[in-house]
Amino acid sequence: MAERKEIARREETRPEARRRARAMVPPVDVYETDEGVILVADMPGVGPETLDVRVEDNVLYLRGEIAEVPGEEVRPDYVEVRGREYFRAFTLGPEFDQEKIEATVKHGVLRLFIPKLETEKPRKIEIKVAG
Amino acid sequence: MAINWTWEWDPFREFERLQEELDRLFEWVSPFRTLRGEEVYPRINVGETENEVLVYVFAPGMDPAKIDLSLEGNLLSISGERQAEEALGVEEVRPERYVRRERFSGRFSRVISLPESVDPSEVSAEYKNGIIVVRIAKKAERRGRKIEVKAA
C-alpha cells in the first residue's frame, strides 16, 4: 500500500507541470483517511470564481488567482507577497477515484477530498466466533 | 489594468532571482517560508493612495473574531491563532495520518510600522477570501494635494 501513495510523496516535475514563472507555491497539508485523502492548500485571495482544480493524465493541478488586487491608484510601500497566481501539481496514484474529487474554498483555504476507489478502501473483516 | 506588486527599482530583485535558482535546486521553496525554512504567517503588503494607507494581511483560514488588530501611532499589531487542522474537517485528527504538513499552525504576532502620515482615529478592516484589508486615513495635512496650474 505505502509505495502507491504517490500523491503524498511525489510532486509533479514534468516540464508541462512545472510552475509558471512567478506563480506562488501554496503550502499544503495532506491527510489520509480510510475513505480517501484530504488536501488543504493556503491560497489567500482566491475565491470560488478564481480557483481552478483539474486532473489531466493522473496529474492534479491546483491553480488560483488573487481575485481582488489593488488598483493603479495604490502605490506599493512594502511588499512580501508578489505575484497574483498560485500553482502546484501532484501526481495521483491509481487508487483514487478522479471522477469524485470534491473541492471547497473558504477564507482563502482550498480543501479537496480525493476519495479512494471502493476496492482500495480498507475492509473490516468480521471475526466469527467458533463454537 | 491592475497593479502588479513589483517595484520599478527593487532591491529584492536579486534576492528573488536567487530564490528562483534555489527553486530549481531544491524540489520547491514556498514563498510562505523564509530561506531558513521557517514559515511567515501572516504575510503583509502595504500600499498607499493619496488619502489613505492600505495594509493587506494574508491570513487564510482564520475566524475573523480571533484576529486582534491594534494601531498605536503608526505601529500596527496583528496577532491571533490558527489551528491548521481545523480545515481538515475531520472529527479526530490523528497526527500519524498526515502525509504532508506545511501549513502554519499556532499563535502568531507581528508588528509593522506604517508611514508617519497615518491618522489612527480613522481605521477600518475587512476580511475577504483570507485577506484582511486595513484602511487607515492619512492625517489631513499629509494628504497629497493636487496643485492647480493656472494659465498665466
Side-chain angles (χ1 to χ4, degrees):
Chain A
M1 274 304 281
E3 73 282 357
R4 294 173 59 192
K5 279 186 227 154
E6 286 173 290
I7 181 149
R9 190 128 5 106
R10 207 155 58 88
E11 227 171 311
E12 191 53 45
T13 49
R14 273 188 267 160
E16 66 271 23
R18 286 227 183 96
R19 45 184 284 229
R20 288 167 291 179
R22 303 193 73 81
M24 299 183 282
V25 181
V28 303
D29 287 349
V30 178
Y31 184 86
E32 191 177 6
T33 70
D34 290 348
E35 303 294 310
V37 160
I38 298 164
L39 186 148
V40 180
D42 281 346
M43 299 167 114
V46 173
E49 66 289 344
T50 57
L51 177 69
D52 178 18
V53 178
R54 61 181 65 197
V55 179
E56 283 168 28
D57 299 332
N58 300 320
V59 179
L60 170 72
Y61 294 94
L62 312 180
R63 287 190 185 90
E65 205 173 85
I66 295 177
E68 290 179 36
V69 293
E72 275 189 353
E73 73 283 1
V74 183
R75 194 178 76 236
D77 284 331
Y78 173 75
V79 182
E80 289 179 355
V81 177
R82 294 162 195 278
R84 191 174 175 176
E85 291 185 333
Y86 298 95
F87 176 77
R88 204 159 172 186
F90 294 89
T91 310
L92 280 184
E95 67 268 43
F96 298 106
D97 188 345
Q98 300 179 2
E99 303 297 313
K100 296 198 176 133
I101 296 176
E102 297 161 20
T104 52
V105 64
K106 188 189 172 189
H107 294 327
V109 177
L110 164 69
R111 180 188 186 272
L112 287 183
F113 176 65
I114 307 160
K116 289 175 189 166
L117 292 163
E118 285 302 324
T119 52
E120 300 284 342
K121 291 179 187 174
R123 275 195 305 278
K124 201 170 160 56
I125 298 163
E126 209 181 318
I127 300 166
K128 291 197 176 79
V129 180
Chain B
M1 180 57 208
I3 200 163
N4 186 358
W5 283 80
T6 49
W7 303 59
E8 282 305 310
W9 174 80
D10 185 357
F12 292 101
R13 187 143 295 167
E14 193 56 39
F15 168 79
E16 222 177 324
R17 246 213 328 268
L18 176 74
Q19 177 102 22
E20 279 165 16
E21 269 150 34
L22 282 167
D23 278 2
R24 282 198 293 273
L25 283 175
F26 299 117
E27 190 73 4
W28 65 283
V29 175
S30 165
F32 299 90
R33 286 163 198 263
T34 64
L35 280 181
R36 286 198 303 278
E38 67 254 356
E39 271 179 284
V40 180
Y41 186 97
R43 296 234 149 192
I44 295 168
N45 285 359
V46 182
E48 60 183 285
T49 64
E50 254 177 51
N51 302 323
E52 41 182 19
V53 171
L54 296 135
V55 183
Y56 304 86
V57 184
F58 292 73
M62 289 289 298
D63 171 356
K66 289 187 184 161
I67 302 167
D68 290 317
L69 273 178
S70 68
L71 183 62
E72 272 185 65
N74 69 327
L75 292 180
L76 181 72
S77 309
I78 296 144
S79 61
E81 189 168 1
R82 181 177 90 152
Q83 300 303 340
E85 66 270 21
E86 281 178 12
L88 293 174
V90 295
E91 295 242 329
E92 184 209 359
V93 179
R94 290 167 46 189
E96 76 276 10
R97 297 201 126 185
Y98 270 101
V99 191
R100 260 175 201 269
R101 224 172 165 169
E102 301 168 356
R103 297 169 59 245
F104 174 86
S105 198
R107 289 202 57 80
F108 60 85
S109 178
R110 292 195 69 182
V111 179
I112 54 162
S113 64
L114 301 176
E116 293 285 348
S117 55
V118 294
D119 176 357
S121 65
E122 280 188 69
V123 188
S124 70
E126 187 193 27
Y127 189 56
K128 193 174 181 188
N129 290 338
I131 300 176
I132 310 161
V133 182
V134 188
R135 310 176 84 97
I136 308 142
K138 288 183 183 177
K139 291 173 187 154
E141 70 272 15
R142 303 291 291 270
R143 291 180 190 176
R145 277 199 309 275
K146 196 168 159 54
I147 297 165
E148 211 182 318
V149 182
K150 291 196 177 81

